[in-house]
Amino acid sequence: MPRLIDHAERDAVIAAAAWRVLARDGLPAFSVRRIADEAGLATASLRRAFPTQAALRTYCLRLVGERVQARMDALAVASDPAADPRGFVLACLAELLPLDAERRSETEVWLALGSLATTDADVRAAYDDSSRTIATACRSLLGMLPGPGGGDPDALSAEAQRLHALLDGLALHLVHAPPSADTAWALDALDRVVPDGPRPDPGSAAG
Protein backbone atom coordinates (compact mmCIF):
# COMPACT_ATOMS: atom_id res chain seq x y z
CA MET A 1 0.00 0.00 0.00
CA PRO A 2 1.55 3.38 -0.94
CA ARG A 3 2.50 5.66 1.94
CA LEU A 4 0.05 8.52 2.40
CA ILE A 5 1.59 11.94 1.97
CA ASP A 6 1.88 13.98 5.14
CA HIS A 7 1.23 17.37 3.58
CA ALA A 8 2.21 19.34 6.69
CA GLU A 9 5.51 17.47 6.92
CA ARG A 10 6.19 17.94 3.19
CA ASP A 11 5.42 21.65 3.38
CA ALA A 12 7.75 22.01 6.39
CA VAL A 13 10.55 20.30 4.45
CA ILE A 14 9.98 22.61 1.49
CA ALA A 15 9.90 25.71 3.68
CA ALA A 16 13.13 24.70 5.44
CA ALA A 17 14.79 24.19 2.05
CA ALA A 18 13.50 27.56 0.83
CA TRP A 19 14.89 29.30 3.90
CA ARG A 20 18.29 27.65 3.40
CA VAL A 21 18.38 28.78 -0.22
CA LEU A 22 17.49 32.34 0.80
CA ALA A 23 20.11 32.44 3.55
CA ARG A 24 22.86 30.93 1.42
CA ASP A 25 22.19 32.22 -2.09
CA GLY A 26 19.86 35.19 -1.68
CA LEU A 27 16.55 36.16 -3.24
CA PRO A 28 17.66 35.76 -6.90
CA ALA A 29 18.12 32.03 -6.26
CA PHE A 30 14.59 31.63 -4.89
CA SER A 31 13.18 29.43 -7.66
CA VAL A 32 11.00 26.34 -7.64
CA ARG A 33 13.71 24.26 -9.29
CA ARG A 34 16.48 25.36 -6.89
CA ILE A 35 14.30 24.79 -3.82
CA ALA A 36 13.10 21.40 -5.08
CA ASP A 37 16.74 20.34 -5.48
CA GLU A 38 17.55 21.62 -1.99
CA ALA A 39 14.60 19.70 -0.51
CA GLY A 40 15.43 16.51 -2.41
CA LEU A 41 12.08 16.57 -4.18
CA ALA A 42 11.04 16.34 -7.80
CA THR A 43 10.07 19.73 -9.21
CA ALA A 44 6.64 18.35 -10.07
CA SER A 45 6.11 17.31 -6.47
CA LEU A 46 6.94 20.79 -5.21
CA ARG A 47 4.67 22.37 -7.81
CA ARG A 48 1.77 20.24 -6.59
CA ALA A 49 2.23 21.79 -3.16
CA PHE A 50 2.97 25.31 -4.42
CA PRO A 51 1.86 25.80 -8.04
CA THR A 52 3.55 29.18 -8.35
CA GLN A 53 6.61 30.89 -6.98
CA ALA A 54 4.29 33.48 -5.44
CA ALA A 55 2.49 30.76 -3.49
CA LEU A 56 5.79 29.49 -2.10
CA ARG A 57 6.94 32.99 -1.19
CA THR A 58 3.67 33.70 0.59
CA TYR A 59 3.79 30.42 2.50
CA CYS A 60 7.36 31.05 3.68
CA LEU A 61 6.48 34.57 4.79
CA ARG A 62 3.37 33.51 6.68
CA LEU A 63 5.32 30.70 8.32
CA VAL A 64 7.54 33.25 10.05
CA GLY A 65 4.53 34.72 11.84
CA GLU A 66 3.18 31.29 12.72
CA ARG A 67 6.45 30.24 14.32
CA VAL A 68 6.71 33.43 16.36
CA GLN A 69 3.10 33.08 17.51
CA ALA A 70 3.71 29.45 18.50
CA ARG A 71 6.62 30.47 20.72
CA MET A 72 4.58 33.22 22.36
CA ASP A 73 1.75 30.76 22.99
CA ALA A 74 4.25 28.34 24.54
CA LEU A 75 5.49 31.09 26.85
CA ALA A 76 1.93 31.78 27.99
CA VAL A 77 1.42 28.09 28.75
CA ALA A 78 4.77 27.60 30.49
CA SER A 79 4.53 30.68 32.71
CA ASP A 80 2.01 32.70 34.66
CA PRO A 81 1.73 36.04 32.86
CA ALA A 82 -0.36 37.49 35.67
CA ALA A 83 2.37 36.80 38.24
CA ASP A 84 4.99 38.82 36.35
CA PRO A 85 3.30 40.65 33.47
CA ARG A 86 6.31 42.82 32.65
CA GLY A 87 8.63 39.82 32.52
CA PHE A 88 6.16 38.02 30.29
CA VAL A 89 5.86 41.03 27.97
CA LEU A 90 9.64 41.33 27.63
CA ALA A 91 9.99 37.59 26.97
CA CYS A 92 7.35 37.75 24.23
CA LEU A 93 8.91 40.81 22.61
CA ALA A 94 12.29 39.06 22.59
CA GLU A 95 10.75 36.35 20.40
CA LEU A 96 10.41 38.99 17.67
CA LEU A 97 14.14 39.72 17.59
CA PRO A 98 16.92 37.71 15.86
CA LEU A 99 18.71 36.74 19.08
CA ASP A 100 19.67 33.22 18.04
CA ALA A 101 20.16 31.22 14.84
CA GLU A 102 16.47 30.28 14.52
CA ARG A 103 15.15 33.78 14.97
CA ARG A 104 17.91 35.22 12.82
CA SER A 105 16.86 32.91 9.99
CA GLU A 106 13.25 34.01 10.40
CA THR A 107 14.23 37.67 10.25
CA GLU A 108 16.34 37.12 7.13
CA VAL A 109 13.38 35.45 5.43
CA TRP A 110 11.04 38.22 6.60
CA LEU A 111 13.29 40.95 5.23
CA ALA A 112 14.15 39.19 1.97
CA LEU A 113 10.59 38.25 1.05
CA GLY A 114 9.12 41.40 2.55
CA SER A 115 11.19 43.42 0.09
CA LEU A 116 8.93 42.02 -2.65
CA ALA A 117 5.80 43.45 -1.07
CA THR A 118 5.92 46.60 -3.17
CA THR A 119 5.69 44.67 -6.45
CA ASP A 120 3.94 41.37 -5.59
CA ALA A 121 0.31 41.61 -4.48
CA ASP A 122 0.29 38.14 -2.89
CA VAL A 123 3.42 38.86 -0.87
CA ARG A 124 1.98 42.27 0.04
CA ALA A 125 -1.11 40.62 1.52
CA ALA A 126 0.97 38.16 3.55
CA TYR A 127 3.34 40.91 4.67
CA ASP A 128 0.48 43.17 5.72
CA ASP A 129 -1.20 40.34 7.65
CA SER A 130 2.02 39.60 9.51
CA SER A 131 2.64 43.26 10.22
CA ARG A 132 -0.88 43.64 11.61
CA THR A 133 -0.29 40.59 13.80
CA ILE A 134 2.84 42.17 15.27
CA ALA A 135 1.03 45.48 15.78
CA THR A 136 -1.80 43.68 17.57
CA ALA A 137 0.70 41.77 19.72
CA CYS A 138 2.42 45.01 20.72
CA ARG A 139 -0.90 46.55 21.72
CA SER A 140 -2.09 43.45 23.60
CA LEU A 141 1.18 43.03 25.46
CA LEU A 142 1.39 46.68 26.48
CA GLY A 143 -2.25 46.48 27.53
CA MET A 144 -1.19 43.99 30.22
CA LEU A 145 0.87 46.68 31.95
CA PRO A 146 -0.39 49.52 34.15
CA GLY A 147 1.38 52.37 32.40
CA PRO A 148 0.82 52.60 28.63
CA GLY A 149 -2.14 54.70 27.62
CA GLY A 150 -3.44 55.22 31.14
CA GLY A 151 -6.75 53.74 30.03
CA ASP A 152 -6.88 55.85 26.86
CA PRO A 153 -7.16 53.50 23.82
CA ASP A 154 -5.66 56.10 21.48
CA ALA A 155 -2.66 56.63 23.77
CA LEU A 156 -2.17 52.88 24.07
CA SER A 157 -2.25 52.53 20.27
CA ALA A 158 0.37 55.27 19.95
CA GLU A 159 2.61 53.50 22.49
CA ALA A 160 2.18 50.22 20.63
CA GLN A 161 3.04 51.88 17.31
CA ARG A 162 6.27 53.25 18.77
CA LEU A 163 7.15 49.83 20.20
CA HIS A 164 6.46 48.18 16.84
CA ALA A 165 8.78 50.65 15.11
CA LEU A 166 11.48 50.01 17.71
CA LEU A 167 11.22 46.25 17.20
CA ASP A 168 11.55 46.65 13.43
CA GLY A 169 14.62 48.82 13.86
CA LEU A 170 16.26 46.50 16.39
CA ALA A 171 15.60 43.46 14.19
CA LEU A 172 17.13 45.17 11.15
CA HIS A 173 20.21 46.24 13.08
CA LEU A 174 20.73 42.83 14.68
CA VAL A 175 20.36 40.82 11.49
CA HIS A 176 22.94 43.00 9.74
CA ALA A 177 25.45 42.49 12.56
CA PRO A 178 27.72 39.42 12.64
CA PRO A 179 26.02 36.35 14.16
CA SER A 180 28.59 36.36 16.97
CA ALA A 181 27.93 40.01 17.91
CA ASP A 182 26.59 40.84 21.35
CA THR A 183 22.80 41.19 21.50
CA ALA A 184 22.33 42.17 25.14
CA TRP A 185 22.06 45.83 24.17
CA ALA A 186 18.86 45.11 22.22
CA LEU A 187 17.21 43.52 25.24
CA ASP A 188 18.34 46.50 27.29
CA ALA A 189 16.69 48.81 24.75
CA LEU A 190 13.41 46.94 25.20
CA ASP A 191 13.78 46.99 28.97
CA ARG A 192 14.12 50.77 28.87
CA VAL A 193 10.91 51.36 26.90
CA VAL A 194 8.60 48.79 28.50
CA PRO A 195 7.09 50.54 31.54
CA ASP A 196 7.22 49.01 35.01
CA GLY A 197 4.66 51.32 36.52
CA PRO A 198 2.14 54.05 35.68
CA ARG A 199 3.44 56.79 33.40
CA PRO A 200 3.27 60.31 34.88
CA ASP A 201 0.42 62.49 33.70
CA PRO A 202 1.96 65.15 31.40
CA GLY A 203 -0.65 67.64 32.54
CA SER A 204 0.22 67.31 36.22
CA ALA A 205 3.66 68.88 35.75
CA ALA A 206 2.14 71.94 34.09
CA GLY A 207 -0.25 72.56 36.92
Side-chain angles (χ1 to χ4, degrees), residues 24-77:
R24 185 183 64 237
D25 305 319
L27 192 56
F30 194 93
S31 67
V32 169
R33 182 178 297 279
R34 182 74 67 88
I35 293 166
D37 289 343
E38 182 73 24
L41 296 172
T43 303
S45 178
L46 192 148
R47 286 195 182 280
R48 280 195 292 271
F50 301 101
T52 65
Q53 192 176 88
L56 181 55
R57 289 171 175 172
T58 300
Y59 174 77
C60 288
L61 191 56
R62 291 190 187 280
L63 185 61
V64 173
E66 291 174 7
R67 288 173 60 153
V68 172
Q69 186 63 58
R71 291 198 301 270
M72 286 187 179
D73 291 343
L75 280 173
V77 171

Side-chain angles (χ1 to χ4, degrees), residues 86 145-148 194-200:
R86 187 171 186 272
L145 303 175
V194 172
D196 55 6
R199 295 283 178 88

Side-chain angles (χ1 to χ4, degrees), residues 82-119:
D84 180 15
R86 187 171 186 272
F88 176 74
V89 167
L90 287 170
C92 285
L93 293 175
E95 294 299 337
L96 294 164
L97 296 179
L99 301 175
D100 56 24
E102 179 183 3
R103 284 174 282 180
R104 188 181 181 90
S105 176
E106 291 170 356
T107 304
E108 289 170 348
V109 170
W110 169 262
L111 292 173
L113 294 179
S115 68
L116 301 173
T118 56
T119 56

Side-chain angles (χ1 to χ4, degrees), residues 135-196:
T136 299
C138 288
R139 195 179 192 284
S140 297
L141 290 168
L142 287 180
M144 298 176 63
L145 303 175
D152 180 351
D154 291 336
L156 177 58
S157 294
E159 292 267 8
Q161 188 175 35
R162 285 191 286 270
L163 177 60
H164 189 176
L166 174 64
L167 287 167
D168 283 350
L170 291 175
L172 184 65
H173 193 102
L174 287 167
V175 83
H176 285 160
S180 59
D182 175 62
T183 59
W185 65 270
L187 294 175
D188 181 63
L190 284 179
D191 186 63
R192 289 172 181 271
V193 301
V194 172
D196 55 6

